[in-house]
Amino acid sequence: MVKSGKVIQALYSKMIHVTCIVHGFHRVAEEVRSYFNIVDQLISSVKKVFLKAPTRSRIFKNEAPDIPMPPQPILTRWGTWLDAANYYCENYEVIKNINKLDENDASSIKKAKDIFNNPNLKATLAFISSNYSFLSTYITRLEKQNMMLSESISVVKIVKEKLQSPQGEKGKAIYKKLENVLSKNKGFEIIEQISNILEGIDNSMENLEDLNVSDLKFYKFAPVTSVDVERSFSRYKNLLANNHRSFTFENIRKILVIQCNSFGQV
């Protein structure tokens, strides 16, 4: 028992705590949202126009059969607000035809029309779409399972480079947010150094004295996100829902086996 305890302690001492990079990117996306209140109001207002309104939805589909309905982003789902902003940029003129709806029907329609009349809206949507819409794509990419560490590090480098491009005051502030997020993630600095060693970019073992040479190879597929853990939370939540109380232990065991096997197929 003492021996196994020492083994566990040794393994724990070699663990590297990395704050989830995807959470960090989401914080940057939230920073973008905080700087563009007019777009935030637009997304919220148009969402309310079509929420639980089948008649208005039919009018929209008749007027624009080739584009999907306006998105309804959920702030806790990473990157969906940026996807919505990009949607309004790409379909601006079509959505603006919301004025065909009778504004006397709802205050949300009137508010949406007022926002579309804002002279700065077009330029703001163009700025967000051209400089930040990519972020949701890379968030999704980092959510993949079984990614090599080098690929994850490469994604982070690409995001840093792209976010550094906008030179305006807001663009610099948003990039600074990314820098602050990464600077506080000391574990990521270590894992990035390990990746450089495994890729033959760096030979320095500085700050890695606690790791044996044979330990490094096990980091080739080291995750930089907590997405897999959060997936398991969702699955267990669904499994242990109130309407599943009649499950037998045998059925729960079988479902867990199926879910565990499906993890590697995502």
Side-chain angles (χ1 to χ4, degrees):
M1 188 72 178
V2 174
K3 184 178 179 181
S4 62
K6 289 182 178 179
V7 171
I8 293 173
Q9 185 177 6
L11 290 172
Y12 183 77
S13 66
K14 295 177 182 180
M15 293 177 66
I16 301 171
H17 177 264
V18 179
T19 305
C20 180
I21 292 296
V22 174
H23 277 87
F25 285 173
H26 176 63
R27 289 176 62 191
V28 175
E30 284 293 282
E31 188 78 0
V32 175
R33 175 173 166 260
S34 70
Y35 277 104
F36 302 103
N37 187 51
I38 185 65
V39 175
D40 195 33
Q41 290 181 16
L42 173 69
I43 294 172
S44 176
S45 297
V46 177
K47 175 182 176 179
K48 291 176 182 176
V49 168
F50 296 101
L51 186 64
K52 297 180 181 179
T55 301
R56 296 177 202 157
S57 298
R58 281 196 296 271
I59 292 173
F60 181 90
K61 290 176 181 178
N62 289 334
E63 294 292 330
D66 298 327
I67 67 171
M69 292 291 296
Q72 299 181 6
I74 300 172
L75 298 183
T76 54
R77 292 186 180 175
W78 304 326
T80 55
W81 187 90
L82 291 174
D83 288 336
N86 188 56
Y87 170 91
Y88 286 104
C89 180
E90 294 182 347
N91 303 290
Y92 181 86
E93 297 301 333
V94 175
I95 307 299
K96 190 177 180 180
N97 283 336
I98 195 174
N99 58 20
K100 291 186 177 181
L101 297 175
D102 185 2
E103 67 181 40
N104 294 323
D105 190 34
S107 59
S108 58
I109 298 175
K110 184 179 185 304
K111 186 174 181 180
K113 290 181 180 180
D114 291 340
I115 295 172
F116 272 113
N117 289 329
N118 188 304
N120 300 323
L121 181 60
K122 280 186 177 182
T124 303
L125 285 171
F127 177 77
I128 295 173
S129 180
S130 62
N131 291 293
Y132 301 110
S133 61
F134 76 91
L135 194 55
S136 63
T137 301
Y138 285 102
I139 286 175
T140 302
R141 188 168 168 183
L142 281 176
E143 291 175 342
K144 276 197 321 181
Q145 292 182 301
N146 302 321
M147 275 186 76
M148 290 181 63
L149 177 59
S150 58
E151 185 180 354
S152 299
I153 299 294
S154 176
V155 169
V156 176
K157 289 179 178 178
I158 292 172
V159 170
K160 286 178 66 176
E161 182 180 343
K162 286 180 175 290
L163 287 178
Q164 200 171 10
S165 178
Q167 294 301 305
E169 182 180 347
K170 292 179 180 178
K172 290 180 178 179
I174 291 167
Y175 179 70
K176 186 171 181 61
K177 177 68 175 181
L178 175 68
E179 285 188 318
N180 290 338
V181 168
L182 293 179
S183 66
K184 295 176 182 177
N185 197 347
K186 300 302 181 182
F188 181 74
E189 295 178 6
I190 297 173
I191 209 80
E192 187 174 16
Q193 183 182 352
I194 293 174
S195 177
N196 288 338
I197 291 172
L198 295 178
E199 292 298 305
I201 300 173
D202 187 10
N203 294 320
S204 173
M205 288 288 291
E206 185 180 358
N207 301 321
L208 301 178
E209 292 81 3
D210 293 336
L211 294 173
N212 297 325
V213 176
S214 59
D215 294 330
L216 296 183
K217 63 184 179 181
F218 296 112
Y219 288 90
K220 191 167 186 177
F221 288 89
V224 296
T225 75
S226 60
V227 174
D228 280 345
V229 176
E230 297 197 18
R231 281 197 185 106
S232 68
F233 291 160
S234 298
R235 290 178 185 236
Y236 293 141
K237 180 180 177 181
N238 291 333
L239 179 61
L240 302 176
N242 289 333
N243 59 343
H244 289 164
R245 288 183 177 179
S246 61
F247 269 16
T248 64
F249 282 110
E250 180 63 20
N251 286 339
I252 291 176
R253 186 185 70 81
K254 290 177 181 178
I255 290 177
L256 284 174
V257 169
I258 292 172
Q259 291 185 349
C260 288
N261 288 334
S262 67
F263 274 141
Q265 300 173 6
V266 176

